[in-house]
Amino acid sequence: MNYSIIAQAAQAAQEAPQGGLFNMLITLVPIILIFYFIAIRPNNKRQKELKARQDALKGGDKVITAGGIYGIVREVQDAAVKLEVAPNVVIKIMKSSIMHTIGKDGSPEN
C-alpha cells in the first residue's frame, strides 16, 4: 500500500513540467525592481539631499546633530563644524553628524 503512494508521487513529480531558468527570471526580475523602487531609490535620494544640506551649511545656521544636540553653526571647515551649544560653549564636530537644520519657525527641516 505504501509502495503505491510513493510510486504515484514519483510519477507525478516526473510528469510535472520543469520551470527552467526563464520562468524563474520572469518571477525574480519584478521582485527586484519593486524592491529597488521601494527601498533603494528613496534612500539614495535622502542621502543626496542630506549631503547637499551639509555642504550648504554656513555660520549662523541653527542645526540638530545626529546625537540630538541643538546648536548654532559658528564656523564651517572642510570636514568639521564649530557649533555653539550654549553661550560661550563651542564644540567641534564632524560635518556629517549634522542631520537637520532648524527653520525660522523652530521646526526641523528635513
Side-chain angles (χ1 to χ4, degrees):
M1 188 95 177
N2 287 340
Y3 176 73
S4 64
I5 293 174
I6 295 172
Q8 289 174 354
Q11 184 179 7
Q14 288 176 351
E15 292 174 2
Q18 297 297 321
L21 182 62
F22 183 72
N23 289 339
M24 186 174 65
L25 286 177
I26 288 176
T27 306
L28 194 58
V29 169
I31 292 171
I32 292 170
L33 289 174
I34 290 169
F35 181 75
Y36 173 78
F37 283 106
I38 290 177
I40 297 172
R41 190 168 180 223
N43 190 35
N44 288 344
K45 185 177 178 183
R46 279 191 297 270
Q47 286 178 343
K48 287 179 184 178
E49 290 172 355
L50 177 61
K51 179 73 171 134
R53 277 197 314 272
Q54 290 169 345
D55 291 340
L57 286 173
K58 58 187 180 305
D61 287 347
K62 293 180 180 179
V63 297
I64 304 173
T65 67
I69 299 172
Y70 285 71
I72 300 171
V73 175
R74 292 297 174 213
E75 183 182 340
V76 179
Q77 300 170 347
D78 289 335
V81 173
K82 290 191 178 178
L83 191 67
E84 183 176 354
V85 294
N88 298 321
V89 179
V90 178
I91 60 174
K92 185 176 181 179
I93 62 169
M94 292 175 45
K95 190 187 289 187
S96 62
S97 69
I98 294 179
M99 292 290 130
H100 303 282
T101 54
I102 299 175
K104 293 180 182 179
D105 61 352
S107 64
E109 297 174 350
N110 290 337

